[in-house]
């Protein structure tokens, strides 16, 4: 299957489209569109987040870029040898992922960073296509419960198949792909102590062991 991302002027979600138009006026120099995945389609690891941040990926046009969550994610990947270069919080910084691809369950920035169920459903077809189009996929890392839920549905699995638990590893039974859960690397989770950099780094090294 070939993965075709949503067009820059995707009209599937009325609320997100309206928010996009507001942001085009308020932030005319931002990307303001469905954010395309970052990394090679041939990668063995797919990391799935929630949605672009208003002043992060929605600004830069690259997942987790210029967003606090990326300040945790990308250094952790580099430390484990799954990225190279300097992460300078902009799309053209030369930072590269190694055997990893990063995407989101919802491709457009939602108001208050909270997509509604219909928006998740509308965007899920892109996630399903993306997963199917990755020929070497071995591991999917779900960042947070919304990512977990949408990945299961994209794979055609029931929610009862796997409960979200930080650090849990599930064999999906599909193409040998394993699913790993982590708390999202959001500022809120870090500031409240739900997740630490060290906790997340352990997850990344778990993934590295699984793809040896």
């Amino acid at each position: 299957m070939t993965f075709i991302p949503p067009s820059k002027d995707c009209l599937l979600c009325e609320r997100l489209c309206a928010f996009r138009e507001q942001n085009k006026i308020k932030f005319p120099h931002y990307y303001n569109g469905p954010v395309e995945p970052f990394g090679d389609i041939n990668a063995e690891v797919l990391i799935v987040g929630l949605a672009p941040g208003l002043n992060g990926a929605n600004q830069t046009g690259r997942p987790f870029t210029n967003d606090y969550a990326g300040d945790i994610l990308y250094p952790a990947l580099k430390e484990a040898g799954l990225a190279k270069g300097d992460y300078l919080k902009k799309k053209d910084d030369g930072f590269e992922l190694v055997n990893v691809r990063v995407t989101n369950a919802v491709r457009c920035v939602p108001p208050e960073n909270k997509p509604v169920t219909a928006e998740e459903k509308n965007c899920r077809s892109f996630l399903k296509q993306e997963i199917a189009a990755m020929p070497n996929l071995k591991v999917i890392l779900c960042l947070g419960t919304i990512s977990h839920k949408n990945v299961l549905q994209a794979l055609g699995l029931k929610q009862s198949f796997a409960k979200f638990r930080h650090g849990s590893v599930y064999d999906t039974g599909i193409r040998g792909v394993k699913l790993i859960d982590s708390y999202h690397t959001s500022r809120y989770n870090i500031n409240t102590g739900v997740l630490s950099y060290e906790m997340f780094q352990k997850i990344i090294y778990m993934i590295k062991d699984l793809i040896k």
Side-chain angles (χ1 to χ4, degrees), residues 8-194:
K8 184 81 182 290
D9 59 351
C10 179
L11 300 175
L12 286 176
C13 303
E14 183 176 351
R15 188 182 74 121
L16 299 189
C17 290
F19 191 51
R20 179 198 307 157
E21 292 307 309
Q22 294 172 24
N23 290 325
K24 285 180 179 179
I25 296 170
K26 192 174 182 179
F27 307 110
H29 301 298
Y30 280 18
Y31 180 76
N32 290 321
V35 176
E36 294 190 16
F38 176 33
D40 194 342
I41 196 74
N42 294 304
E44 294 180 311
V45 178
L46 178 65
I47 298 175
V48 183
L50 168 58
L54 176 60
N55 298 303
N58 180 64
Q59 176 186 351
T60 62
R62 191 176 75 181
F64 288 82
T65 301
N66 199 44
D67 192 314
Y68 183 87
D71 295 346
I72 304 299
L73 172 63
Y74 289 136
L77 289 174
K78 182 177 178 179
E79 185 178 328
L82 296 175
K84 59 184 180 180
D86 295 322
Y87 170 60
L88 303 177
K89 303 185 182 185
K90 53 185 181 179
K91 191 172 184 178
D92 60 354
D93 56 11
F95 186 73
E96 297 179 39
L97 301 178
V98 178
N99 205 20
V100 173
R101 184 174 171 93
V102 178
T103 194
N104 278 305
V106 176
R107 313 290 162 132
C108 292
V109 59
E112 300 180 351
N113 203 37
K114 295 178 180 178
V116 298
T117 301
E119 292 159 357
E120 294 175 36
K121 183 178 180 180
N122 286 341
C123 229
R124 196 174 303 130
S125 63
F126 299 110
L127 181 60
K128 184 176 181 179
Q129 289 174 35
E130 189 170 6
I131 291 171
M134 296 183 70
N136 303 314
L137 185 61
K138 291 183 178 179
V139 175
I140 301 175
L141 171 60
C142 299
L143 298 182
T145 56
I146 289 179
S147 168
H148 174 92
K149 177 183 75 172
N150 280 279
V151 166
L152 286 180
Q153 290 179 317
L155 291 171
L157 298 172
K158 295 181 179 179
Q159 295 302 302
S160 59
F161 174 83
K163 184 176 180 180
F164 177 86
R165 293 189 184 93
H166 177 81
S168 291
V169 181
Y170 299 98
D171 187 342
T172 67
I174 300 169
R175 295 164 46 200
V177 173
K178 289 184 169 55
L179 182 153
I180 299 183
D181 285 332
S182 172
Y183 296 124
H184 197 284
T185 56
S186 67
R187 184 189 299 272
Y188 178 83
N189 282 345
I190 298 295
N191 287 347
T192 58
V194 170

